Amino acid sequence: MNSVSSIDSPVFPSPDLRKVNVTRYVMPLREGGSLPALADADDGFSYVLKFKGAGQREKALIAELICGELARFLGFKVPELVFAELDEAFGRSEGDEEIQDLLKSSQGLNLGLHFLSKALTFDPGATVVDEWTASKLVWFDAWITNVDRTFRNTNLLVWNRELWLIDHGASLVFHHAWENYQRQISSSFPMISNHVLLPFATKLEEADHEMKSKLTEVVIKQVVDMVPDEWILAGRDTETAEEARKVYVDFLWSRLEQSFHFVNGAIDARKSLV
């Protein structure tokens, strides 16, 4: 069995993401309902493109950006995220009507993840993840309420013998029911019981202590501030983008301060497995 690692030292959030222009739609990646795609950009690199016109629309991109950059800050391996501009004329020659409609509704600013060529999908039966890494990742996903890191869909890749995190668009569940966000702050997040690495997460209390020592409200705010106003306002949840940003920061920071709820929930869920 292969062994992988994924934790480095924290990386302080950059003030903004790079912006690229999409030049070529290569192929759809038909995983899930959001129809991401492999695309080329004008910087010479390929990206997995997440479209604002798909599924959960801009909210999936917001969750992808916030959670991806928080994961990177905490030392996890995450492909570079970029703002990806889709020109008005892009996709007119696409023969698939579903894809053409998706491209039309996604004109403007989207999100791309650097494509990791020849990366392998994580197989828990073939790859060993150490207890410390597993505990930190289970902790992180419970904090951000990520429902999508399961045996069915691990959203983990192995590249250069290292574990890489992808696809956080299903996280931050609260922003789909905005008015109830305060009640979700103290949630134990029962869905953590489905986490692919939960059986190996034997050091959750230690992980809680270390991860909380790295995070500050300032760091969270810096990451949230990276989200474009247009994505936030598209949901029409608040009058201004600043109001919404305050909610995101409040949710994440308050949930961090009350982490015993989701840490104990994960510990109890693991006990039921072993």
Side-chain angles (χ1 to χ4, degrees), residues 162-189:
E162 293 180 314
L163 197 67
W164 289 72
L165 280 56
I166 59 169
D167 208 350
H168 296 94
S171 305
L172 303 180
V173 177
F174 82 89
H175 69 176
H176 299 292
W178 199 261
E179 65 279 3
N180 297 321
Y181 90 92
Q182 289 179 318
R183 284 192 294 175
Q184 297 188 51
I185 286 172
S186 59
S187 166
S188 63
F189 193 54

PDB file of all heavy atoms in Angstrom, residues 162-189:
ATOM      1  N   GLU A 162       1.606  12.821  -2.891  1.00  0.00           N
ATOM      2  CA  GLU A 162       1.033  13.701  -1.877  1.00  0.00           C
ATOM      3  C   GLU A 162      -0.477  13.772  -2.054  1.00  0.00           C
ATOM      4  O   GLU A 162      -1.001  13.615  -3.163  1.00  0.00           O
ATOM      5  CB  GLU A 162       1.635  15.105  -1.970  1.00  0.00           C
ATOM      6  CG  GLU A 162       3.107  15.151  -1.607  1.00  0.00           C
ATOM      7  CD  GLU A 162       3.684  16.549  -1.703  1.00  0.00           C
ATOM      8  OE1 GLU A 162       3.409  17.227  -2.714  1.00  0.00           O
ATOM      9  OE2 GLU A 162       4.400  16.961  -0.781  1.00  0.00           O
ATOM     10  N   LEU A 163      -1.164  14.015  -0.948  1.00  0.00           N
ATOM     11  CA  LEU A 163      -2.616  14.092  -0.946  1.00  0.00           C
ATOM     12  C   LEU A 163      -3.056  15.517  -1.248  1.00  0.00           C
ATOM     13  O   LEU A 163      -2.614  16.461  -0.584  1.00  0.00           O
ATOM     14  CB  LEU A 163      -3.148  13.654   0.416  1.00  0.00           C
ATOM     15  CG  LEU A 163      -4.632  13.285   0.506  1.00  0.00           C
ATOM     16  CD1 LEU A 163      -4.918  12.013  -0.285  1.00  0.00           C
ATOM     17  CD2 LEU A 163      -5.025  13.094   1.976  1.00  0.00           C
ATOM     18  N   TRP A 164      -3.928  15.678  -2.238  1.00  0.00           N
ATOM     19  CA  TRP A 164      -4.403  17.004  -2.638  1.00  0.00           C
ATOM     20  C   TRP A 164      -5.917  17.083  -2.461  1.00  0.00           C
ATOM     21  O   TRP A 164      -6.649  16.157  -2.816  1.00  0.00           O
ATOM     22  CB  TRP A 164      -4.034  17.270  -4.105  1.00  0.00           C
ATOM     23  CG  TRP A 164      -2.565  17.487  -4.309  1.00  0.00           C
ATOM     24  CD1 TRP A 164      -1.573  16.543  -4.249  1.00  0.00           C
ATOM     25  CD2 TRP A 164      -1.923  18.738  -4.571  1.00  0.00           C
ATOM     26  NE1 TRP A 164      -0.358  17.122  -4.466  1.00  0.00           N
ATOM     27  CE2 TRP A 164      -0.531  18.469  -4.669  1.00  0.00           C
ATOM     28  CE3 TRP A 164      -2.377  20.035  -4.736  1.00  0.00           C
ATOM     29  CZ2 TRP A 164       0.396  19.470  -4.926  1.00  0.00           C
ATOM     30  CZ3 TRP A 164      -1.450  21.040  -5.008  1.00  0.00           C
ATOM     31  CH2 TRP A 164      -0.080  20.750  -5.094  1.00  0.00           C
ATOM     32  N   LEU A 165      -6.371  18.215  -1.954  1.00  0.00           N
ATOM     33  CA  LEU A 165      -7.795  18.444  -1.718  1.00  0.00           C
ATOM     34  C   LEU A 165      -8.407  19.180  -2.902  1.00  0.00           C
ATOM     35  O   LEU A 165      -7.840  20.167  -3.388  1.00  0.00           O
ATOM     36  CB  LEU A 165      -8.000  19.302  -0.461  1.00  0.00           C
ATOM     37  CG  LEU A 165      -7.922  18.628   0.904  1.00  0.00           C
ATOM     38  CD1 LEU A 165      -6.595  17.907   1.107  1.00  0.00           C
ATOM     39  CD2 LEU A 165      -8.134  19.656   2.022  1.00  0.00           C
ATOM     40  N   ILE A 166      -9.562  18.707  -3.356  1.00  0.00           N
ATOM     41  CA  ILE A 166     -10.279  19.374  -4.442  1.00  0.00           C
ATOM     42  C   ILE A 166     -11.762  19.465  -4.096  1.00  0.00           C
ATOM     43  O   ILE A 166     -12.253  18.769  -3.213  1.00  0.00           O
ATOM     44  CB  ILE A 166     -10.110  18.638  -5.798  1.00  0.00           C
ATOM     45  CG1 ILE A 166     -10.636  17.199  -5.695  1.00  0.00           C
ATOM     46  CG2 ILE A 166      -8.658  18.648  -6.243  1.00  0.00           C
ATOM     47  CD1 ILE A 166     -10.750  16.489  -7.034  1.00  0.00           C
ATOM     48  N   ASP A 167     -12.443  20.330  -4.818  1.00  0.00           N
ATOM     49  CA  ASP A 167     -13.908  20.374  -4.845  1.00  0.00           C
ATOM     50  C   ASP A 167     -14.553  20.603  -3.483  1.00  0.00           C
ATOM     51  O   ASP A 167     -15.076  19.694  -2.860  1.00  0.00           O
ATOM     52  CB  ASP A 167     -14.457  19.087  -5.469  1.00  0.00           C
ATOM     53  CG  ASP A 167     -15.806  19.317  -6.130  1.00  0.00           C
ATOM     54  OD1 ASP A 167     -16.381  20.403  -5.929  1.00  0.00           O
ATOM     55  OD2 ASP A 167     -16.289  18.424  -6.845  1.00  0.00           O
ATOM     56  N   HIS A 168     -14.557  21.865  -3.050  1.00  0.00           N
ATOM     57  CA  HIS A 168     -15.202  22.254  -1.796  1.00  0.00           C
ATOM     58  C   HIS A 168     -16.528  22.981  -2.038  1.00  0.00           C
ATOM     59  O   HIS A 168     -17.040  23.657  -1.145  1.00  0.00           O
ATOM     60  CB  HIS A 168     -14.263  23.157  -0.991  1.00  0.00           C
ATOM     61  CG  HIS A 168     -13.007  22.460  -0.561  1.00  0.00           C
ATOM     62  ND1 HIS A 168     -11.838  22.508  -1.287  1.00  0.00           N
ATOM     63  CD2 HIS A 168     -12.745  21.682   0.516  1.00  0.00           C
ATOM     64  CE1 HIS A 168     -10.904  21.795  -0.674  1.00  0.00           C
ATOM     65  NE2 HIS A 168     -11.425  21.288   0.417  1.00  0.00           N
ATOM     66  N   GLY A 169     -17.086  22.841  -3.222  1.00  0.00           N
ATOM     67  CA  GLY A 169     -18.293  23.578  -3.577  1.00  0.00           C
ATOM     68  C   GLY A 169     -19.522  23.209  -2.780  1.00  0.00           C
ATOM     69  O   GLY A 169     -20.491  23.978  -2.723  1.00  0.00           O
ATOM     70  N   ALA A 170     -19.511  22.020  -2.157  1.00  0.00           N
ATOM     71  CA  ALA A 170     -20.668  21.594  -1.364  1.00  0.00           C
ATOM     72  C   ALA A 170     -20.519  21.946   0.111  1.00  0.00           C
ATOM     73  O   ALA A 170     -21.316  21.503   0.937  1.00  0.00           O
ATOM     74  CB  ALA A 170     -20.875  20.085  -1.522  1.00  0.00           C
ATOM     75  N   SER A 171     -19.517  22.738   0.439  1.00  0.00           N
ATOM     76  CA  SER A 171     -19.303  23.148   1.833  1.00  0.00           C
ATOM     77  C   SER A 171     -20.132  24.395   2.159  1.00  0.00           C
ATOM     78  O   SER A 171     -20.848  24.920   1.312  1.00  0.00           O
ATOM     79  CB  SER A 171     -17.813  23.455   2.050  1.00  0.00           C
ATOM     80  OG  SER A 171     -17.008  22.362   1.674  1.00  0.00           O
ATOM     81  N   LEU A 172     -20.003  24.858   3.409  1.00  0.00           N
ATOM     82  CA  LEU A 172     -20.736  26.044   3.891  1.00  0.00           C
ATOM     83  C   LEU A 172     -22.235  25.895   3.623  1.00  0.00           C
ATOM     84  O   LEU A 172     -22.874  26.751   3.008  1.00  0.00           O
ATOM     85  CB  LEU A 172     -20.193  27.321   3.231  1.00  0.00           C
ATOM     86  CG  LEU A 172     -18.700  27.583   3.422  1.00  0.00           C
ATOM     87  CD1 LEU A 172     -18.296  28.868   2.710  1.00  0.00           C
ATOM     88  CD2 LEU A 172     -18.325  27.643   4.897  1.00  0.00           C
ATOM     89  N   VAL A 173     -22.775  24.813   4.115  1.00  0.00           N
ATOM     90  CA  VAL A 173     -24.177  24.480   3.855  1.00  0.00           C
ATOM     91  C   VAL A 173     -25.112  25.604   4.279  1.00  0.00           C
ATOM     92  O   VAL A 173     -26.163  25.819   3.671  1.00  0.00           O
ATOM     93  CB  VAL A 173     -24.546  23.170   4.580  1.00  0.00           C
ATOM     94  CG1 VAL A 173     -26.016  22.830   4.383  1.00  0.00           C
ATOM     95  CG2 VAL A 173     -23.662  22.021   4.085  1.00  0.00           C
ATOM     96  N   PHE A 174     -24.726  26.366   5.299  1.00  0.00           N
ATOM     97  CA  PHE A 174     -25.614  27.400   5.834  1.00  0.00           C
ATOM     98  C   PHE A 174     -26.030  28.418   4.779  1.00  0.00           C
ATOM     99  O   PHE A 174     -27.116  29.005   4.876  1.00  0.00           O
ATOM    100  CB  PHE A 174     -24.929  28.132   7.001  1.00  0.00           C
ATOM    101  CG  PHE A 174     -23.985  29.223   6.580  1.00  0.00           C
ATOM    102  CD1 PHE A 174     -24.431  30.521   6.396  1.00  0.00           C
ATOM    103  CD2 PHE A 174     -22.645  28.950   6.331  1.00  0.00           C
ATOM    104  CE1 PHE A 174     -23.561  31.532   5.991  1.00  0.00           C
ATOM    105  CE2 PHE A 174     -21.772  29.946   5.938  1.00  0.00           C
ATOM    106  CZ  PHE A 174     -22.226  31.241   5.763  1.00  0.00           C
ATOM    107  N   HIS A 175     -25.180  28.689   3.775  1.00  0.00           N
ATOM    108  CA  HIS A 175     -25.524  29.787   2.866  1.00  0.00           C
ATOM    109  C   HIS A 175     -26.601  29.419   1.854  1.00  0.00           C
ATOM    110  O   HIS A 175     -26.968  30.242   1.023  1.00  0.00           O
ATOM    111  CB  HIS A 175     -24.278  30.397   2.206  1.00  0.00           C
ATOM    112  CG  HIS A 175     -23.547  29.548   1.217  1.00  0.00           C
ATOM    113  ND1 HIS A 175     -22.464  30.032   0.507  1.00  0.00           N
ATOM    114  CD2 HIS A 175     -23.718  28.271   0.816  1.00  0.00           C
ATOM    115  CE1 HIS A 175     -21.998  29.086  -0.280  1.00  0.00           C
ATOM    116  NE2 HIS A 175     -22.742  28.019  -0.115  1.00  0.00           N
ATOM    117  N   HIS A 176     -27.120  28.201   1.959  1.00  0.00           N
ATOM    118  CA  HIS A 176     -28.288  27.837   1.152  1.00  0.00           C
ATOM    119  C   HIS A 176     -29.592  28.074   1.932  1.00  0.00           C
ATOM    120  O   HIS A 176     -30.680  27.967   1.371  1.00  0.00           O
ATOM    121  CB  HIS A 176     -28.200  26.377   0.704  1.00  0.00           C
ATOM    122  CG  HIS A 176     -27.000  26.099  -0.152  1.00  0.00           C
ATOM    123  ND1 HIS A 176     -26.865  26.618  -1.427  1.00  0.00           N
ATOM    124  CD2 HIS A 176     -25.874  25.386   0.090  1.00  0.00           C
ATOM    125  CE1 HIS A 176     -25.706  26.223  -1.933  1.00  0.00           C
ATOM    126  NE2 HIS A 176     -25.084  25.485  -1.036  1.00  0.00           N
ATOM    127  N   ALA A 177     -29.477  28.357   3.206  1.00  0.00           N
ATOM    128  CA  ALA A 177     -30.628  28.724   4.047  1.00  0.00           C
ATOM    129  C   ALA A 177     -30.162  29.851   4.961  1.00  0.00           C
ATOM    130  O   ALA A 177     -30.039  29.703   6.165  1.00  0.00           O
ATOM    131  CB  ALA A 177     -31.119  27.534   4.849  1.00  0.00           C
ATOM    132  N   TRP A 178     -29.866  30.962   4.329  1.00  0.00           N
ATOM    133  CA  TRP A 178     -29.154  32.091   4.939  1.00  0.00           C
ATOM    134  C   TRP A 178     -29.744  32.537   6.277  1.00  0.00           C
ATOM    135  O   TRP A 178     -29.013  32.835   7.220  1.00  0.00           O
ATOM    136  CB  TRP A 178     -29.196  33.243   3.938  1.00  0.00           C
ATOM    137  CG  TRP A 178     -28.170  34.303   4.170  1.00  0.00           C
ATOM    138  CD1 TRP A 178     -28.356  35.491   4.797  1.00  0.00           C
ATOM    139  CD2 TRP A 178     -26.797  34.282   3.754  1.00  0.00           C
ATOM    140  NE1 TRP A 178     -27.180  36.220   4.800  1.00  0.00           N
ATOM    141  CE2 TRP A 178     -26.216  35.500   4.158  1.00  0.00           C
ATOM    142  CE3 TRP A 178     -26.012  33.362   3.069  1.00  0.00           C
ATOM    143  CZ2 TRP A 178     -24.886  35.821   3.905  1.00  0.00           C
ATOM    144  CZ3 TRP A 178     -24.688  33.683   2.823  1.00  0.00           C
ATOM    145  CH2 TRP A 178     -24.144  34.897   3.232  1.00  0.00           C
ATOM    146  N   GLU A 179     -31.066  32.571   6.362  1.00  0.00           N
ATOM    147  CA  GLU A 179     -31.702  33.129   7.553  1.00  0.00           C
ATOM    148  C   GLU A 179     -31.483  32.257   8.794  1.00  0.00           C
ATOM    149  O   GLU A 179     -31.692  32.711   9.922  1.00  0.00           O
ATOM    150  CB  GLU A 179     -33.205  33.325   7.311  1.00  0.00           C
ATOM    151  CG  GLU A 179     -34.013  32.050   7.083  1.00  0.00           C
ATOM    152  CD  GLU A 179     -33.924  31.527   5.663  1.00  0.00           C
ATOM    153  OE1 GLU A 179     -33.185  32.127   4.854  1.00  0.00           O
ATOM    154  OE2 GLU A 179     -34.608  30.522   5.364  1.00  0.00           O
ATOM    155  N   ASN A 180     -31.042  31.006   8.603  1.00  0.00           N
ATOM    156  CA  ASN A 180     -30.855  30.109   9.746  1.00  0.00           C
ATOM    157  C   ASN A 180     -29.382  29.907  10.108  1.00  0.00           C
ATOM    158  O   ASN A 180     -29.051  28.984  10.844  1.00  0.00           O
ATOM    159  CB  ASN A 180     -31.471  28.731   9.427  1.00  0.00           C
ATOM    160  CG  ASN A 180     -32.965  28.814   9.207  1.00  0.00           C
ATOM    161  OD1 ASN A 180     -33.653  29.558   9.898  1.00  0.00           O
ATOM    162  ND2 ASN A 180     -33.466  28.050   8.255  1.00  0.00           N
ATOM    163  N   TYR A 181     -28.515  30.776   9.630  1.00  0.00           N
ATOM    164  CA  TYR A 181     -27.090  30.495   9.771  1.00  0.00           C
ATOM    165  C   TYR A 181     -26.638  30.416  11.227  1.00  0.00           C
ATOM    166  O   TYR A 181     -25.760  29.623  11.577  1.00  0.00           O
ATOM    167  CB  TYR A 181     -26.270  31.535   8.996  1.00  0.00           C
ATOM    168  CG  TYR A 181     -25.878  32.773   9.757  1.00  0.00           C
ATOM    169  CD1 TYR A 181     -24.665  32.836  10.441  1.00  0.00           C
ATOM    170  CD2 TYR A 181     -26.709  33.890   9.804  1.00  0.00           C
ATOM    171  CE1 TYR A 181     -24.285  33.971  11.138  1.00  0.00           C
ATOM    172  CE2 TYR A 181     -26.341  35.022  10.502  1.00  0.00           C
ATOM    173  CZ  TYR A 181     -25.132  35.064  11.166  1.00  0.00           C
ATOM    174  OH  TYR A 181     -24.771  36.182  11.865  1.00  0.00           O
ATOM    175  N   GLN A 182     -27.232  31.219  12.123  1.00  0.00           N
ATOM    176  CA  GLN A 182     -26.787  31.225  13.515  1.00  0.00           C
ATOM    177  C   GLN A 182     -27.078  29.902  14.208  1.00  0.00           C
ATOM    178  O   GLN A 182     -26.316  29.462  15.071  1.00  0.00           O
ATOM    179  CB  GLN A 182     -27.436  32.386  14.264  1.00  0.00           C
ATOM    180  CG  GLN A 182     -26.877  33.740  13.829  1.00  0.00           C
ATOM    181  CD  GLN A 182     -27.531  34.907  14.532  1.00  0.00           C
ATOM    182  OE1 GLN A 182     -28.745  34.928  14.706  1.00  0.00           O
ATOM    183  NE2 GLN A 182     -26.734  35.879  14.937  1.00  0.00           N
ATOM    184  N   ARG A 183     -28.167  29.240  13.803  1.00  0.00           N
ATOM    185  CA  ARG A 183     -28.480  27.947  14.398  1.00  0.00           C
ATOM    186  C   ARG A 183     -27.490  26.877  13.967  1.00  0.00           C
ATOM    187  O   ARG A 183     -27.268  25.897  14.674  1.00  0.00           O
ATOM    188  CB  ARG A 183     -29.902  27.518  14.020  1.00  0.00           C
ATOM    189  CG  ARG A 183     -30.988  28.256  14.787  1.00  0.00           C
ATOM    190  CD  ARG A 183     -32.331  27.620  14.597  1.00  0.00           C
ATOM    191  NE  ARG A 183     -32.797  27.726  13.214  1.00  0.00           N
ATOM    192  CZ  ARG A 183     -33.907  27.160  12.748  1.00  0.00           C
ATOM    193  NH1 ARG A 183     -34.646  26.418  13.545  1.00  0.00           N
ATOM    194  NH2 ARG A 183     -34.281  27.325  11.507  1.00  0.00           N
ATOM    195  N   GLN A 184     -26.890  27.068  12.797  1.00  0.00           N
ATOM    196  CA  GLN A 184     -25.965  26.064  12.290  1.00  0.00           C
ATOM    197  C   GLN A 184     -24.545  26.215  12.839  1.00  0.00           C
ATOM    198  O   GLN A 184     -23.707  25.333  12.653  1.00  0.00           O
ATOM    199  CB  GLN A 184     -25.945  26.113  10.759  1.00  0.00           C
ATOM    200  CG  GLN A 184     -27.292  25.766  10.133  1.00  0.00           C
ATOM    201  CD  GLN A 184     -27.214  25.636   8.621  1.00  0.00           C
ATOM    202  OE1 GLN A 184     -26.367  24.932   8.095  1.00  0.00           O
ATOM    203  NE2 GLN A 184     -28.096  26.335   7.926  1.00  0.00           N
ATOM    204  N   ILE A 185     -24.291  27.322  13.507  1.00  0.00           N
ATOM    205  CA  ILE A 185     -22.961  27.543  14.075  1.00  0.00           C
ATOM    206  C   ILE A 185     -22.598  26.431  15.061  1.00  0.00           C
ATOM    207  O   ILE A 185     -21.459  25.943  15.088  1.00  0.00           O
ATOM    208  CB  ILE A 185     -22.891  28.924  14.754  1.00  0.00           C
ATOM    209  CG1 ILE A 185     -22.838  30.026  13.692  1.00  0.00           C
ATOM    210  CG2 ILE A 185     -21.694  29.019  15.691  1.00  0.00           C
ATOM    211  CD1 ILE A 185     -22.950  31.436  14.246  1.00  0.00           C
ATOM    212  N   SER A 186     -23.552  26.026  15.889  1.00  0.00           N
ATOM    213  CA  SER A 186     -23.278  25.025  16.923  1.00  0.00           C
ATOM    214  C   SER A 186     -23.622  23.599  16.492  1.00  0.00           C
ATOM    215  O   SER A 186     -23.644  22.683  17.324  1.00  0.00           O
ATOM    216  CB  SER A 186     -24.049  25.370  18.201  1.00  0.00           C
ATOM    217  OG  SER A 186     -25.443  25.423  17.941  1.00  0.00           O
ATOM    218  N   SER A 187     -23.838  23.397  15.201  1.00  0.00           N
ATOM    219  CA  SER A 187     -24.177  22.054  14.713  1.00  0.00           C
ATOM    220  C   SER A 187     -23.019  21.076  14.930  1.00  0.00           C
ATOM    221  O   SER A 187     -21.850  21.415  14.721  1.00  0.00           O
ATOM    222  CB  SER A 187     -24.511  22.112  13.220  1.00  0.00           C
ATOM    223  OG  SER A 187     -24.527  20.811  12.659  1.00  0.00           O
ATOM    224  N   SER A 188     -23.347  19.862  15.334  1.00  0.00           N
ATOM    225  CA  SER A 188     -22.317  18.824  15.472  1.00  0.00           C
ATOM    226  C   SER A 188     -21.952  18.221  14.123  1.00  0.00           C
ATOM    227  O   SER A 188     -21.019  17.432  14.031  1.00  0.00           O
ATOM    228  CB  SER A 188     -22.814  17.714  16.408  1.00  0.00           C
ATOM    229  OG  SER A 188     -23.961  17.067  15.842  1.00  0.00           O
ATOM    230  N   PHE A 189     -22.692  18.586  13.093  1.00  0.00           N
ATOM    231  CA  PHE A 189     -22.465  18.132  11.720  1.00  0.00           C
ATOM    232  C   PHE A 189     -22.475  16.593  11.630  1.00  0.00           C
ATOM    233  O   PHE A 189     -21.445  15.955  11.387  1.00  0.00           O
ATOM    234  CB  PHE A 189     -21.156  18.698  11.161  1.00  0.00           C
ATOM    235  CG  PHE A 189     -21.031  18.519   9.668  1.00  0.00           C
ATOM    236  CD1 PHE A 189     -22.019  18.969   8.808  1.00  0.00           C
ATOM    237  CD2 PHE A 189     -19.925  17.896   9.127  1.00  0.00           C
ATOM    238  CE1 PHE A 189     -21.908  18.807   7.442  1.00  0.00           C
ATOM    239  CE2 PHE A 189     -19.798  17.722   7.759  1.00  0.00           C
ATOM    240  CZ  PHE A 189     -20.802  18.180   6.910  1.00  0.00           C
TER     241      PHE A 189
END
